[in-house]
Amino acid sequence: MSQVVTIRQLRKCGESIASISRITGVSRDTVYKYLALDDLSPKMPVKRPGSSMMDQYRSVIEGWLDEDARSWRKQRHTAARIHARLRDECGCEASESTVRHYVARLKAERRESKEAFLDLVWAPGEAQADFGEADFYVGGVRRRMLYFVVTFPYSNVGLAQVFPGQNAECVCQGLRNIFEYCGGVPTRIVFDNATGVGRKACSTVRTTEMFAAFSAHYGFDYSFCNPDSGNEKGNVENKVGFIRRNLFVPVPRIGGTDIYNRHLLDRCMRLSERKHWRKGEPEARLFVEDRVAMAGLPENPFDVVRYVRPKADKYGKVRIEGKHLYSTDPALAGTTLIVGLGATDVRIYDEEGTFVCSHERAYGDAPSDSSQPASQIATLCSKPGGWTNSKVRACMPDMLRSHLDGKDKSDLRASLRTMRDEVAVRGWDATVTAMEMALIATGRVDAASVAVAAARCAGGAIAYDEPVDLSEYDRALGIGGR
């Protein structure tokens, strides 16, 4: 700036352009430029992005990053992999460090654009829904289960129901329970794409047949969030964590979900006695406005059940979802039955619609069979005195039954707990076979041996390319008298 002042003063004193150039030691073009300036006000120091040789590859890199957003997080492009692909596929001559810095800046820009949220306004009677995960002790076995949360953003009240699955039956049953507890139906519910009732793909919304019938029955509107747009239902996102921290810590011990869910709704409402974080009024008082805005309940509740028509096997059992067997009357062997799948129960009817029996619905990857006595094991763990006349004992192989008969109450309880925990993971057949294998190999039934043997039973026999010589292990462990 001092040079600009000097040039302008010299020109004001009548010096020629050539003279000013000689005196200041700058070129004539520079003199002309500084004399032509018509505004010397301070300029805002805005950082202006410079061009980069990588800009020509920006669209290619962004295409790969967009593809990564739909892929498993452990199977995405690293900066090194992007550099290698640009070099091999596009002939890019930039160094890896140049590509690395460019990709980091590009990811930062994309992240900032995603995190620009709108402060959405929610009217009374509107709701949001989502699932969360938490651990529960069910019959003494620790299980990772899901809980369905419906929140009302206007009042910030959230209500939860615990279920073993995330299918349409669980969602609709949870909604029905909450509708009946509130005494009304929300005007609109916003769902996440991950819930089991449907999803939004581009501008097309597809729902399950059950949810479509359920929404028509209760007459509420619904919509789905855009993919990777949790901010569109931020109220329920926050409430899922709030309920987990305040109601599921320490890990709850429950006998069954039906009874627990009835009390859970009251516990959720007690959490709403605090003041609203923005409005300053108690959430429970604001919830009155939510209830007033809701539509009335229909005269008849929706029966949350999905019907399938499997064929019973030669023992009269039906297989549902590929791995869960449910027993019926053996006289129905080979016939086609009607099975009603609810959120937590399975109801079986004959071809004329006559009720035959019902079972608790099984979830998870472990195979199950309702005719097996696995459901009694949890009770025996707390009441081992019933072992002698239990169905569990009657279904044991002779050698394993005799071994457990010889244990005192404390050791028997420990063995039953081992069985209980392994059945929840591997199923009844694999666990009983594993306990028998452990008894033959080691003379006892311990948790580690049973876990290893059950994993092998469930996974099938192992085939080796070459014969395995275990003699060295026999000598090291002193097996066989050596």
Side-chain angles (χ1 to χ4, degrees):
M1 183 55 65
S2 61
Q3 194 174 54
V4 174
V5 173
T6 300
I7 291 172
R8 285 177 171 252
Q9 289 292 340
L10 290 172
R11 186 60 172 171
K12 188 176 181 180
C13 293
E15 295 288 344
S16 66
I17 300 298
S19 176
I20 294 173
S21 176
R22 287 194 302 270
I23 294 171
T24 57
V26 299
S27 68
R28 292 186 179 189
D29 291 340
T30 302
V31 174
Y32 280 119
K33 183 180 73 172
Y34 286 162
L35 289 175
L37 292 175
D38 58 356
D39 185 6
L40 297 177
S41 303
K43 299 292 188 288
M44 185 180 294
V46 177
K47 183 179 180 181
R48 303 187 184 281
S51 60
S52 170
M53 65 174 295
M54 296 299 301
D55 288 341
Q56 58 184 313
Y57 305 109
R58 178 173 182 136
S59 60
V60 177
I61 298 173
E62 286 192 323
W64 294 340
L65 295 179
D66 290 339
E67 184 181 345
D68 283 349
R70 299 185 293 271
S71 303
W72 184 38
R73 63 182 180 83
K74 293 187 177 181
Q75 203 168 353
R76 296 176 178 174
H77 285 83
T78 62
R81 179 58 183 150
I82 290 176
H83 171 258
R85 289 193 65 182
L86 288 174
R87 180 194 62 209
D88 299 339
E89 300 175 21
C90 305
C92 177
E93 297 180 354
S95 65
E96 183 175 333
S97 62
T98 300
V99 174
R100 188 180 300 277
H101 287 108
Y102 188 81
V103 170
R105 180 165 62 84
L106 193 57
K107 286 183 177 180
E109 292 176 4
R110 291 161 62 91
R111 189 161 50 245
E112 289 172 1
S113 64
K114 281 187 176 181
E115 293 176 353
F117 300 149
L118 292 175
D119 188 9
L120 303 179
V121 177
W122 295 83
E126 294 184 319
Q128 301 175 5
D130 199 6
F131 273 98
E133 287 186 325
D135 285 350
F136 296 84
Y137 283 108
V138 184
V141 180
R142 185 163 181 154
R143 294 173 55 188
R144 180 69 50 83
M145 298 184 71
L146 295 138
Y147 57 101
F148 180 63
V149 179
V150 174
T151 64
F152 298 84
Y154 178 80
S155 62
N156 200 37
V157 168
L159 301 171
Q161 295 283 271
V162 176
F163 291 102
Q166 192 176 344
N167 50 30
E169 294 85 71
C170 293
V171 173
C172 293
Q173 186 63 57
L175 287 173
R176 173 183 161 175
N177 295 347
I178 291 171
F179 292 172
E180 293 175 355
Y181 181 80
C182 297
V185 180
T187 56
R188 184 172 73 100
I189 306 177
V190 178
F191 291 90
D192 188 270
N193 262 9
T195 53
V197 297
R199 63 188 304 105
K200 178 179 181 180
C202 298
S203 59
T204 304
V205 174
R206 297 179 180 177
T207 62
T208 62
E209 184 176 348
M210 170 172 285
F211 179 74
F214 182 87
S215 62
H217 183 91
Y218 285 98
F220 62 87
D221 294 329
Y222 59 86
S223 60
F224 292 88
C225 290
N226 291 307
D228 300 322
S229 299
N231 59 290
E232 295 180 9
K233 55 175 183 57
N235 184 262
V236 71
E237 294 271 354
N238 292 330
K239 191 64 71 173
V240 164
F242 179 79
I243 288 176
R244 183 191 295 112
R245 294 187 297 271
N246 288 272
L247 296 183
F248 303 148
V249 176
V251 178
R253 295 180 178 273
I254 65 178
T257 57
D258 291 340
I259 297 176
Y260 183 78
N261 279 336
R262 287 198 289 270
H263 296 291
L264 182 59
L265 292 170
D266 289 329
R267 295 178 64 199
C268 288
M269 280 306 302
R270 284 196 290 270
L271 291 178
S272 300
E273 295 173 358
R274 59 178 191 163
K275 290 186 177 181
H276 191 281
W277 63 278
R278 174 182 288 177
K279 300 175 182 177
E281 294 185 56
E283 293 176 352
R285 186 183 302 171
L286 293 169
F287 189 55
V288 174
E289 298 183 47
D290 274 318
R291 281 180 161 171
V292 170
M294 291 184 195
L297 290 169
E299 182 177 353
N300 298 311
F302 185 87
D303 188 13
V304 181
V305 60
R306 176 168 59 91
Y307 290 104
V308 294
R309 294 175 59 86
K311 186 176 181 180
D313 63 15
K314 62 182 180 180
Y315 302 106
K317 299 179 182 180
V318 292
R319 183 178 297 276
I320 304 298
E321 296 173 334
K323 50 188 173 294
H324 302 302
L325 285 170
Y326 299 94
S327 60
T328 68
D329 189 336
L332 298 174
T335 63
T336 299
L337 303 177
I338 301 172
V339 177
L341 300 174
T344 58
D345 67 333
V346 173
R347 289 165 270 176
I348 303 177
Y349 308 83
D350 64 16
E351 289 185 290
E352 285 72 37
T354 303
F355 178 76
V356 177
C357 62
S358 64
H359 299 282
E360 181 180 352
R361 185 170 179 178
Y363 285 86
D365 296 328
S368 66
D369 187 337
S370 65
S371 64
Q372 295 168 342
S375 60
Q376 292 187 1
I377 301 176
T379 304
L380 283 175
C381 289
S382 58
K383 299 178 180 179
W387 163 255
T388 303
N389 301 109
S390 67
K391 189 175 180 181
V392 175
R393 179 181 180 278
C395 293
M396 289 282 183
D398 292 339
M399 182 176 65
L400 187 56
R401 184 190 308 119
S402 299
H403 173 76
L404 296 177
D405 284 345
K407 289 181 174 290
D408 59 29
K409 186 176 291 187
S410 176
D411 291 341
L412 176 61
R413 182 184 282 111
S415 296
L416 290 173
R417 285 174 176 168
T418 296
M419 182 188 300
R420 177 198 66 190
D421 295 343
E422 205 58 44
V423 165
V425 179
R426 304 295 180 185
W428 170 267
D429 291 333
T431 300
V432 172
T433 303
M435 293 178 70
E436 192 172 24
M437 290 171 58
L439 182 61
I440 293 173
T442 65
R444 63 183 186 276
V445 178
D446 62 282
S449 300
V450 172
V452 173
R456 291 188 61 184
C457 292
I462 300 174
Y464 296 97
D465 295 333
E466 298 179 0
V468 179
D469 182 10
L470 300 179
S471 59
E472 294 294 333
Y473 292 97
D474 291 340
R475 284 193 289 273
L477 298 173
I479 297 176
R482 295 189 297 277

XYZ file of all heavy atoms in Angstrom, residues 49-111:
518
model
N -10.864 -20.736 -3.425
C -10.301 -22.043 -3.795
C -9.540 -21.977 -5.106
O -10.019 -21.424 -6.097
C -11.543 -22.934 -3.919
C -12.665 -21.984 -4.210
C -12.336 -20.716 -3.497
N -8.354 -22.509 -5.065
C -7.559 -22.559 -6.285
C -7.880 -23.794 -7.089
O -8.439 -24.768 -6.585
N -7.554 -23.749 -8.322
C -7.796 -24.914 -9.174
C -6.783 -25.997 -8.855
O -5.674 -25.726 -8.384
C -7.705 -24.509 -10.647
O -6.415 -23.998 -10.934
N -7.177 -27.218 -9.112
C -6.320 -28.371 -8.860
C -6.360 -29.272 -10.072
O -7.375 -29.381 -10.773
C -6.806 -29.135 -7.621
O -6.130 -30.370 -7.501
N -5.259 -29.951 -10.302
C -5.211 -30.886 -11.411
C -6.179 -32.049 -11.200
O -6.532 -32.760 -12.134
C -3.790 -31.425 -11.580
C -3.302 -32.269 -10.401
S -1.704 -33.046 -10.690
C -2.086 -34.151 -12.020
N -6.643 -32.217 -9.934
C -7.562 -33.306 -9.628
C -9.008 -32.959 -9.972
O -9.871 -33.845 -9.955
C -7.472 -33.665 -8.133
C -6.125 -34.207 -7.689
S -5.707 -35.747 -8.545
C -7.073 -36.770 -8.081
N -9.289 -31.679 -10.254
C -10.670 -31.281 -10.528
C -11.256 -32.035 -11.715
O -12.469 -32.285 -11.760
C -10.745 -29.769 -10.779
C -10.548 -28.970 -9.505
O -10.724 -29.552 -8.412
O -10.212 -27.773 -9.592
N -10.427 -32.386 -12.687
C -10.931 -33.097 -13.862
C -11.422 -34.507 -13.521
O -12.171 -35.111 -14.293
C -9.836 -33.171 -14.925
C -8.559 -33.857 -14.442
C -7.460 -33.834 -15.479
O -7.688 -34.149 -16.646
N -6.248 -33.437 -15.065
N -11.002 -35.030 -12.357
C -11.419 -36.367 -11.943
C -12.488 -36.321 -10.851
O -12.865 -37.367 -10.313
C -10.216 -37.167 -11.420
C -9.068 -37.253 -12.396
C -7.882 -36.551 -12.169
C -9.168 -38.014 -13.550
C -6.826 -36.608 -13.063
C -8.117 -38.085 -14.464
C -6.953 -37.374 -14.201
O -5.910 -37.439 -15.094
N -12.982 -35.133 -10.519
C -13.909 -34.985 -9.397
C -15.174 -35.814 -9.593
O -15.630 -36.514 -8.668
C -14.274 -33.515 -9.193
C -15.276 -33.306 -8.066
C -15.515 -31.850 -7.756
N -16.446 -31.711 -6.654
C -16.313 -30.875 -5.649
N -15.250 -30.089 -5.585
N -17.221 -30.796 -4.700
N -15.773 -35.746 -10.766
C -17.016 -36.487 -11.008
C -16.803 -37.992 -10.873
O -17.673 -38.717 -10.371
C -17.573 -36.145 -12.391
O -16.641 -36.492 -13.411
N -15.636 -38.483 -11.299
C -15.335 -39.916 -11.185
C -15.229 -40.315 -9.721
O -15.804 -41.322 -9.279
C -14.034 -40.250 -11.931
C -13.676 -41.720 -11.744
C -14.166 -39.921 -13.407
N -14.490 -39.512 -8.942
C -14.303 -39.829 -7.518
C -15.633 -39.763 -6.778
O -15.935 -40.627 -5.944
C -13.282 -38.851 -6.892
C -11.912 -39.002 -7.565
C -13.153 -39.087 -5.396
C -10.886 -37.974 -7.131
N -16.440 -38.747 -7.078
C -17.731 -38.636 -6.400
C -18.639 -39.814 -6.749
O -19.425 -40.270 -5.904
C -18.403 -37.318 -6.777
C -17.770 -36.104 -6.098
C -18.620 -34.867 -6.249
O -19.224 -34.703 -7.329
O -18.681 -34.068 -5.292
N -18.545 -40.319 -7.955
C -19.316 -41.507 -8.319
C -18.930 -42.710 -7.474
O -19.794 -43.473 -7.019
N -17.625 -42.868 -7.244
C -17.168 -43.975 -6.380
C -17.622 -43.779 -4.946
O -18.008 -44.739 -4.273
C -15.643 -44.090 -6.455
C -15.140 -44.506 -7.806
C -15.851 -45.125 -8.787
C -13.830 -44.324 -8.334
N -15.066 -45.352 -9.898
C -13.808 -44.871 -9.647
C -12.659 -43.753 -7.853
C -12.677 -44.861 -10.455
C -11.518 -43.744 -8.647
C -11.523 -44.290 -9.935
N -17.584 -42.553 -4.447
C -18.019 -42.281 -3.073
C -19.522 -42.498 -2.927
O -19.983 -42.972 -1.879
C -17.639 -40.855 -2.674
C -16.136 -40.551 -2.598
C -15.903 -39.096 -2.214
C -15.426 -41.471 -1.611
N -20.301 -42.149 -3.951
C -21.740 -42.403 -3.906
C -22.015 -43.897 -3.860
O -22.928 -44.360 -3.164
C -22.428 -41.787 -5.131
C -22.441 -40.264 -5.071
O -22.306 -39.711 -3.963
O -22.563 -39.629 -6.133
N -21.241 -44.662 -4.607
C -21.393 -46.115 -4.598
C -21.029 -46.679 -3.225
O -21.658 -47.617 -2.734
C -20.508 -46.729 -5.677
C -20.651 -48.233 -5.821
C -19.727 -48.806 -6.889
O -19.198 -48.003 -7.698
O -19.540 -50.027 -6.914
N -19.997 -46.085 -2.588
C -19.602 -46.529 -1.249
C -20.719 -46.352 -0.238
O -20.848 -47.144 0.708
C -18.366 -45.739 -0.774
C -17.087 -46.237 -1.420
O -17.130 -47.303 -2.063
O -16.057 -45.560 -1.305
N -21.521 -45.305 -0.397
C -22.605 -45.037 0.556
C -23.620 -46.168 0.588
O -24.340 -46.343 1.578
C -23.290 -43.722 0.212
N -23.691 -46.967 -0.472
C -24.621 -48.091 -0.536
C -23.943 -49.422 -0.248
O -24.572 -50.470 -0.358
C -25.268 -48.142 -1.930
C -26.067 -46.898 -2.291
C -26.781 -47.063 -3.627
N -25.857 -47.138 -4.753
C -25.417 -46.089 -5.421
N -25.815 -44.874 -5.071
N -24.585 -46.217 -6.436
N -22.661 -49.381 0.096
C -21.897 -50.605 0.345
C -21.609 -50.751 1.829
O -21.727 -49.816 2.611
C -20.570 -50.574 -0.440
O -20.806 -50.414 -1.823
N -21.214 -51.960 2.201
C -20.801 -52.246 3.573
C -19.628 -51.346 3.935
O -18.725 -51.129 3.134
C -20.428 -53.719 3.661
C -20.073 -54.199 5.034
C -20.647 -53.830 6.206
C -19.065 -55.152 5.361
N -20.078 -54.495 7.250
C -19.093 -55.322 6.765
C -18.145 -55.886 4.617
C -18.237 -56.181 7.422
C -17.303 -56.745 5.277
C -17.346 -56.893 6.667
N -19.636 -50.834 5.177
C -18.636 -49.834 5.561
C -17.207 -50.383 5.510
O -16.260 -49.612 5.383
C -18.935 -49.312 6.970
C -18.859 -50.368 8.062
C -19.202 -49.796 9.424
N -19.141 -50.785 10.465
C -18.044 -51.162 11.084
N -16.883 -50.619 10.740
N -18.058 -52.085 12.026
N -17.042 -51.696 5.612
C -15.697 -52.267 5.564
C -15.256 -52.597 4.135
O -14.187 -53.148 3.938
C -15.625 -53.528 6.435
C -15.769 -53.247 7.927
C -15.512 -54.492 8.754
C -15.588 -54.203 10.241
N -15.304 -55.403 11.066
N -16.111 -52.273 3.184
C -15.807 -52.605 1.793
C -15.962 -51.353 0.930
O -16.636 -51.369 -0.088
C -16.733 -53.726 1.312
C -16.191 -54.521 0.142
C -17.013 -55.772 -0.088
O -17.892 -56.108 0.675
N -16.721 -56.480 -1.157
N -15.306 -50.287 1.364
C -15.393 -49.013 0.667
C -14.007 -48.562 0.214
O -12.994 -49.091 0.652
C -16.028 -47.949 1.574
C -17.478 -48.268 1.950
C -18.054 -47.260 2.915
N -19.451 -47.558 3.224
C -20.174 -46.915 4.127
N -19.632 -45.930 4.827
N -21.430 -47.242 4.349
N -13.978 -47.552 -0.657
C -12.716 -47.055 -1.208
C -11.902 -46.312 -0.150
O -12.418 -45.450 0.558
C -12.995 -46.090 -2.365
C -13.420 -46.768 -3.626
N -14.719 -47.157 -3.859
C -12.708 -47.122 -4.736
C -14.799 -47.720 -5.051
N -13.611 -47.716 -5.611
N -10.640 -46.653 -0.067
C -9.693 -45.831 0.670
C -9.052 -44.865 -0.318
O -9.183 -45.010 -1.539
C -8.613 -46.694 1.330
O -7.876 -47.381 0.284
C -9.222 -47.728 2.267
N -8.338 -43.854 0.215
C -7.661 -42.908 -0.673
C -6.619 -43.621 -1.525
O -6.420 -43.282 -2.701
C -7.017 -41.801 0.152
N -5.944 -44.614 -0.934
C -4.939 -45.366 -1.695
C -5.587 -46.137 -2.844
O -5.034 -46.215 -3.950
C -4.195 -46.321 -0.766
N -6.776 -46.709 -2.580
C -7.458 -47.453 -3.634
C -7.953 -46.511 -4.726
O -7.895 -46.831 -5.920
C -8.640 -48.229 -3.023
C -9.438 -49.037 -4.036
C -8.580 -50.037 -4.763
N -9.319 -50.768 -5.788
C -8.787 -51.252 -6.893
N -7.492 -51.079 -7.150
N -9.521 -51.899 -7.753
N -8.418 -45.323 -4.353
C -8.841 -44.334 -5.345
C -7.665 -43.922 -6.220
O -7.776 -43.796 -7.442
C -9.478 -43.114 -4.644
C -10.833 -43.507 -4.044
C -9.649 -41.950 -5.619
C -11.497 -42.408 -3.254
N -6.503 -43.718 -5.590
C -5.301 -43.352 -6.356
C -4.943 -44.444 -7.358
O -4.626 -44.169 -8.528
C -4.136 -43.103 -5.399
C -2.823 -42.937 -6.092
N -1.879 -43.958 -6.150
C -2.296 -41.893 -6.781
C -0.836 -43.533 -6.832
N -1.055 -42.285 -7.218
N -5.021 -45.700 -6.897
C -4.662 -46.814 -7.781
C -5.633 -46.900 -8.969
O -5.212 -47.110 -10.111
C -4.656 -48.115 -6.997
N -6.924 -46.712 -8.712
C -7.906 -46.797 -9.804
C -7.752 -45.620 -10.777
O -7.901 -45.795 -11.978
C -9.323 -46.833 -9.225
C -9.669 -48.143 -8.522
C -11.161 -48.243 -8.261
N -11.928 -48.316 -9.509
C -13.261 -48.370 -9.560
N -13.966 -48.345 -8.433
N -13.896 -48.446 -10.708
N -7.495 -44.428 -10.240
C -7.293 -43.275 -11.121
C -6.072 -43.482 -12.012
O -6.071 -43.138 -13.201
C -7.135 -42.004 -10.286
C -8.398 -41.469 -9.603
C -8.035 -40.293 -8.695
C -9.438 -41.036 -10.627
N -5.039 -44.051 -11.436
C -3.811 -44.298 -12.200
C -4.043 -45.344 -13.268
O -3.650 -45.177 -14.430
C -2.712 -44.746 -11.229
C -1.360 -45.035 -11.892
C -0.487 -45.793 -10.906
N -1.097 -47.074 -10.559
C -0.910 -47.674 -9.383
N -0.160 -47.112 -8.444
N -1.492 -48.835 -9.140
N -4.720 -46.453 -12.910
C -4.869 -47.570 -13.837
C -5.991 -47.359 -14.848
O -5.889 -47.787 -16.001
C -5.133 -48.856 -13.048
C -3.981 -49.204 -12.107
O -2.857 -48.713 -12.356
O -4.220 -49.944 -11.134
N -7.086 -46.718 -14.432
C -8.256 -46.605 -15.296
C -8.355 -45.267 -16.013
O -8.979 -45.179 -17.062
C -9.529 -46.840 -14.472
C -9.584 -48.214 -13.808
C -10.788 -48.369 -12.903
O -11.764 -47.603 -13.079
O -10.765 -49.248 -12.013
N -7.774 -44.209 -15.417
C -7.933 -42.868 -15.996
C -6.603 -42.250 -16.434
O -6.585 -41.123 -16.944
C -8.620 -41.943 -14.996
S -10.208 -42.556 -14.394
N -5.500 -42.936 -16.177
C -4.202 -42.396 -16.565
C -3.776 -41.192 -15.749
O -2.974 -40.368 -16.219
N -4.266 -41.065 -14.528
C -3.914 -39.932 -13.659
C -2.456 -40.058 -13.215
O -2.021 -41.125 -12.760
C -4.849 -39.890 -12.454
S -4.468 -38.582 -11.275
N -1.707 -38.953 -13.316
C -0.288 -38.970 -12.955
C -0.031 -38.307 -11.611
O 1.133 -38.118 -11.224
C 0.529 -38.263 -14.041
C 0.452 -38.963 -15.403
C 1.265 -38.248 -16.460
O 1.797 -37.153 -16.153
O 1.365 -38.773 -17.588
N -1.061 -37.941 -10.879
C -0.878 -37.292 -9.569
C -0.312 -38.292 -8.573
O -0.550 -39.503 -8.659
C -2.205 -36.744 -9.069
N 0.423 -37.769 -7.598
C 0.991 -38.628 -6.565
C -0.105 -39.075 -5.599
O -1.194 -38.489 -5.549
C 2.073 -37.883 -5.793
O 1.501 -36.798 -5.074
N 0.196 -40.111 -4.814
C -0.797 -40.613 -3.861
C -1.138 -39.559 -2.812
O -2.294 -39.437 -2.399
C -0.290 -41.884 -3.178
C -1.311 -42.488 -2.227
C -0.856 -43.808 -1.639
O -0.048 -44.500 -2.289
O -1.318 -44.148 -0.540
N -0.143 -38.777 -2.376
C -0.413 -37.743 -1.366
C -1.346 -36.674 -1.915
O -2.238 -36.183 -1.205
C 0.895 -37.113 -0.884
O 1.563 -36.476 -1.962
N -1.195 -36.312 -3.195
C -2.085 -35.328 -3.804
C -3.515 -35.851 -3.842
O -4.469 -35.140 -3.500
C -1.614 -34.993 -5.228
O -0.291 -34.456 -5.174
C -2.542 -33.986 -5.885
N -3.669 -37.119 -4.230
C -4.998 -37.727 -4.268
C -5.577 -37.823 -2.860
O -6.758 -37.544 -2.635
C -4.928 -39.121 -4.930
C -6.284 -39.821 -4.847
C -4.475 -39.002 -6.369
N -4.738 -38.178 -1.904
C -5.199 -38.332 -0.521
C -5.760 -37.007 0.010
O -6.834 -36.959 0.619
C -4.058 -38.835 0.354
C -4.479 -39.204 1.769
C -3.274 -39.702 2.561
N -2.686 -40.865 1.934
C -3.125 -42.108 2.104
N -4.192 -42.311 2.867
N -2.541 -43.115 1.516
N -5.030 -35.892 -0.194
C -5.485 -34.589 0.290
C -6.758 -34.151 -0.433
O -7.661 -33.557 0.173
C -4.384 -33.545 0.110
C -3.247 -33.702 1.077
N -2.002 -34.156 0.700
C -3.171 -33.487 2.402
C -1.201 -34.193 1.750
N -1.896 -33.790 2.811
N -6.825 -34.431 -1.729
C -8.008 -34.027 -2.497
C -9.240 -34.813 -2.044
O -10.326 -34.238 -1.872
C -7.756 -34.264 -3.989
C -8.831 -33.700 -4.875
C -8.849 -32.351 -5.214
C -9.840 -34.519 -5.385
C -9.843 -31.823 -6.034
C -10.836 -34.008 -6.201
C -10.825 -32.657 -6.529
O -11.812 -32.142 -7.330
N -9.096 -36.117 -1.824
C -10.212 -36.948 -1.383
C -10.675 -36.524 0.011
O -11.871 -36.462 0.296
C -9.818 -38.437 -1.402
C -10.879 -39.296 -0.724
C -9.601 -38.914 -2.828
N -9.711 -36.183 0.901
C -10.078 -35.742 2.251
C -10.895 -34.457 2.192
O -11.897 -34.300 2.911
C -8.819 -35.541 3.095
N -10.476 -33.515 1.333
C -11.219 -32.253 1.206
C -12.595 -32.488 0.605
O -13.593 -31.894 1.034
C -10.420 -31.283 0.330
C -11.102 -29.929 0.136
C -10.131 -28.900 -0.405
N -9.611 -29.249 -1.718
C -10.238 -28.990 -2.858
N -11.430 -28.403 -2.849
N -9.680 -29.314 -4.013
N -12.676 -33.396 -0.370
C -13.949 -33.701 -1.009
C -14.919 -34.349 -0.018
O -16.108 -34.011 0.024
C -13.709 -34.626 -2.199
C -14.865 -34.827 -3.184
C -15.316 -33.497 -3.747
C -14.434 -35.757 -4.309
N -14.420 -35.275 0.805
C -15.277 -35.921 1.810
C -15.764 -34.911 2.831
O -16.920 -34.969 3.283
C -14.517 -37.054 2.500
C -14.335 -38.297 1.647
C -13.631 -39.394 2.431
C -13.518 -40.679 1.608
N -12.832 -41.756 2.374
N -14.891 -33.965 3.229
C -15.290 -32.933 4.190
C -16.402 -32.057 3.618
O -17.362 -31.711 4.318
C -14.087 -32.087 4.578
N -16.301 -31.698 2.340
C -17.344 -30.885 1.707
C -18.670 -31.640 1.662
O -19.730 -31.064 1.935
C -16.915 -30.504 0.286
C -15.741 -29.532 0.225
C -15.295 -29.273 -1.217
O -15.959 -29.803 -2.141
O -14.297 -28.558 -1.405
N -18.614 -32.920 1.321
C -19.838 -33.713 1.243
C -20.461 -33.888 2.622
O -21.685 -33.869 2.768
C -19.536 -35.083 0.635
C -19.158 -35.019 -0.838
C -18.433 -36.282 -1.274
N -19.246 -37.463 -1.150
C -20.028 -37.953 -2.097
N -20.115 -37.323 -3.258
N -20.730 -39.054 -1.910
N -19.621 -34.049 3.647
C -20.122 -34.220 5.003
C -20.805 -32.944 5.494
O -21.856 -32.979 6.130
C -18.964 -34.604 5.918
C -19.385 -35.020 7.311
C -18.280 -35.802 8.000
N -17.010 -35.126 7.920
C -15.955 -35.581 7.265
N -16.028 -36.723 6.604
N -14.812 -34.906 7.239
